Amino acid sequence: MSKTRFLKRGNFVVMHSCTEAESADNYGRVWRCKSDQWSEGESGHEKCFVQLEDWNGPFLRDHLQEVKLTESCVETTEELLELRRKLQESQNDRFEYEESAAEHQAEASRLARVLDWYADHVNWSQGEYYEGEFLTCAQADRGTRARAAITEKE
């Protein structure tokens, strides 16, 4: 490890010689270090790690190569990293929106089933006699299904 430079927060690196580096999303991608490099393990068997922005968990230093960027490249890379963060936030927001939309659709379907029962002409024509008076299923219901549907979600 003595031949490689100590990585610090803010350094730019690329992945190499590992499975992660070969994926389409990571190949040639420039990453920014989110932490300074640190070591773990017993003396003589230490492994060095660093946290990368937008990467979950520590990454082994042996598979990172520091890259030097010109001032304009640093600015462009920082803009790109910011755009990636905004894209991730947007995707998270979209997921939450779709999840909420699915919940609302399920609720609308549940309520529509209750309305369908009231709209079904059979429930207004079939029924039974009660104390000498014919009551349709809908009349006998007296809105019980509707009230139950409304209070079920509250």
Side-chain angles (χ1 to χ4, degrees):
M1 201 73 204
S2 59
K3 295 179 185 177
T4 57
R5 227 170 82 93
F6 184 85
L7 292 176
K8 295 183 179 179
R9 181 183 180 147
N11 288 151
F12 293 97
V13 295
V14 292
M15 297 176 178
H16 68 84
S17 309
C18 61
T19 306
E20 292 88 347
E22 301 302 320
S23 81
D25 291 337
N26 300 333
Y27 184 79
R29 178 177 172 182
V30 177
W31 299 81
R32 187 195 321 238
C33 295
K34 188 164 91 174
S35 71
D36 290 344
Q37 174 179 317
W38 76 90
S39 299
E40 291 182 9
E42 296 182 23
S43 182
H45 300 287
E46 293 176 330
K47 296 286 183 185
C48 294
F49 298 92
V50 68
Q51 284 287 131
L52 302 175
E53 289 185 6
D54 301 322
W55 184 265
N56 291 328
F59 203 87
L60 189 59
R61 170 63 172 99
D62 291 345
H63 298 291
L64 297 172
Q65 174 64 48
E66 184 179 10
V67 293
K68 297 287 184 188
L69 302 177
T70 65
E71 190 63 36
S72 63
C73 285
V74 169
E75 289 174 12
T76 303
T77 301
E78 287 175 352
E79 290 171 4
L80 179 61
L81 290 171
E82 182 61 25
L83 287 173
R84 280 191 180 133
R85 273 191 289 281
K86 287 180 179 179
L87 175 62
Q88 185 62 48
E89 287 175 14
S90 176
Q91 289 171 336
N92 292 344
D93 290 346
R94 179 179 168 214
F95 174 77
E96 289 174 14
Y97 167 78
E98 289 176 351
E99 191 175 54
S100 176
E103 289 172 3
H104 285 89
Q105 181 62 41
E107 176 67 359
S109 294
R110 184 181 69 80
L111 294 172
R113 284 191 298 276
V114 174
L115 285 174
D116 286 344
W117 186 88
Y118 284 106
D120 188 346
H121 70 86
V122 171
N123 292 320
W124 292 94
S125 59
Q126 292 183 355
E128 56 187 41
Y129 283 93
Y130 181 74
E131 295 181 359
E133 188 178 335
F134 182 77
L135 292 176
T136 66
C137 294
Q139 289 171 320
D141 176 73
R142 303 181 108 174
T144 303
R145 291 171 190 264
R147 282 189 297 284
I150 291 168
T151 58
E152 183 177 315
K153 202 61 174 175
E154 292 178 355

